[in-house]
Amino acid sequence: MSESGNKRKAKDKAYYIKSAKQARKSSNELGPGQKGFLCTSNREKESVREAYNILNEYADIIYGSEKPKEEPELSEVKKEEIEDELSKEMEELKKKQAAPVSERRFQCVMTNIKGCIFIRSTVENPSAVVDAIINDIEKKKQQTTKFLLRMLPIQLTCKSVKEDILKAAENLIDQMADYKTFSLLIKIRNHNIKRDALIEPIAEMVSKKFPEIKVDLDNPEISMVVEVLRATCCLGVVTNYSGRAKYNLVEIAQKAK
């Protein structure tokens, strides 16, 4: 092969390596077009582990286990009681780890903001999972996490651009039907967009859609979450935000005791 051919080949290889690295990086970062759970913590590594445990537990209850259900032949039942069951669990764990990041039921992605964790998810309704977790904590009066603090369900994400945020918020307004009071939970982290630039237009959209609903900043029945995290905005809808200790799982458990 000529020298020019070798250079071209080396250049192509470098390009593909760079592209692959960028693809892996983007798949592990928070960005538009995602849904999941926005969490706060005081120790991130331990909090991610707690989040995976509790989310998998309740997602299995609501949506069923990710493990494929296979009926073994009668002649094999006795043989597959202990050793084979352990082997199956190990294989399933390997499959989950080997699965593409985008296909995993729960995957922590980078927010690049200290103490702020985002667990991207493929579950149909993140709110249903968080509701089940909180209801169980209140019922059992037991603390389920130590380092994982707040957990907010996020229905969608978009770019941190005013027009995109307003359009995304409009898609969630229908979920606020049949409620008498509402609030907007808007927080800006590491971005220059102003809260006032979002509060007024979103509040107007809600009032226009449901003229009977009133603003209540102290004890709203329903709230829209708008969290700007650098270049990405996370949006969702939560109920009884104040009564549920602002969705702080540790405080909910302490309050229930």
Side-chain angles (χ1 to χ4, degrees), residues 192-247:
N192 58 10
I193 193 169
K194 303 299 181 183
R195 289 180 72 253
D196 292 343
L198 301 175
I199 293 174
E200 187 174 344
I202 296 177
E204 286 181 358
M205 286 192 293
V206 175
S207 298
K208 185 177 180 180
K209 182 76 174 182
F210 304 112
E212 69 283 359
I213 197 169
K214 305 298 181 184
V215 175
D216 186 338
L217 302 180
D218 297 320
N219 193 28
E221 293 181 359
I222 193 165
S223 304
M224 183 182 292
V225 175
V226 182
E227 293 255 2
V228 174
L229 308 177
R230 298 170 67 93
T232 303
C233 181
C234 303
L235 298 96
V237 173
V238 297
T239 57
N240 193 21
Y241 183 72
S242 298
R244 284 179 154 182
K246 299 181 179 180
Y247 280 57

Side-chain angles (χ1 to χ4, degrees), residues 34-53:
Q34 301 178 6
K35 61 180 175 179
F37 307 86
L38 181 60
C39 309
T40 59
S41 72
N42 48 29
R43 288 172 64 174
E44 291 189 24
K45 185 176 179 180
E46 290 82 356
S47 296
V48 171
R49 188 183 301 113
E50 289 183 342
Y52 281 157
N53 289 339

Side-chain angles (χ1 to χ4, degrees), residues 14-105:
Y15 171 78
Y16 286 121
I17 291 174
K18 183 179 179 181
S19 297
K21 286 182 178 179
Q22 289 176 339
R24 285 196 297 270
K25 183 179 179 181
S26 62
S27 67
N28 286 315
E29 289 186 346
L30 176 63
Q34 301 178 6
K35 61 180 175 179
F37 307 86
L38 181 60
C39 309
T40 59
S41 72
N42 48 29
R43 288 172 64 174
E44 291 189 24
K45 185 176 179 180
E46 290 82 356
S47 296
V48 171
R49 188 183 301 113
E50 289 183 342
Y52 281 157
N53 289 339
I54 196 170
L55 288 171
N56 276 303
E57 177 185 351
Y58 286 88
D60 283 352
I61 294 171
I62 298 171
Y63 299 107
S65 174
E66 288 186 292
K67 295 180 181 179
K69 295 182 180 179
E70 296 179 358
E71 292 296 332
E73 294 180 10
L74 292 176
S75 60
E76 298 177 351
V77 172
K78 291 183 180 180
K79 297 178 182 179
E80 297 182 348
E81 287 185 353
I82 300 177
E83 291 86 353
D84 287 355
E85 283 301 319
L86 270 172
S87 297
K88 284 182 179 180
E89 288 184 13
M90 290 299 295
E91 285 300 316
E92 288 302 324
L93 184 59
K94 289 178 182 178
K95 286 179 182 178
K96 285 183 181 180
Q97 293 297 327
V101 172
S102 59
E103 295 178 8
R104 296 176 190 171
R105 180 181 271 184

Side-chain angles (χ1 to χ4, degrees), residues 149-162:
L149 304 177
R150 186 169 296 157
M151 177 179 282
L152 295 171
I154 299 299
Q155 274 91 12
L156 52 86
T157 62
C158 66
K159 291 182 180 180
S160 296
V161 178
K162 180 180 177 180

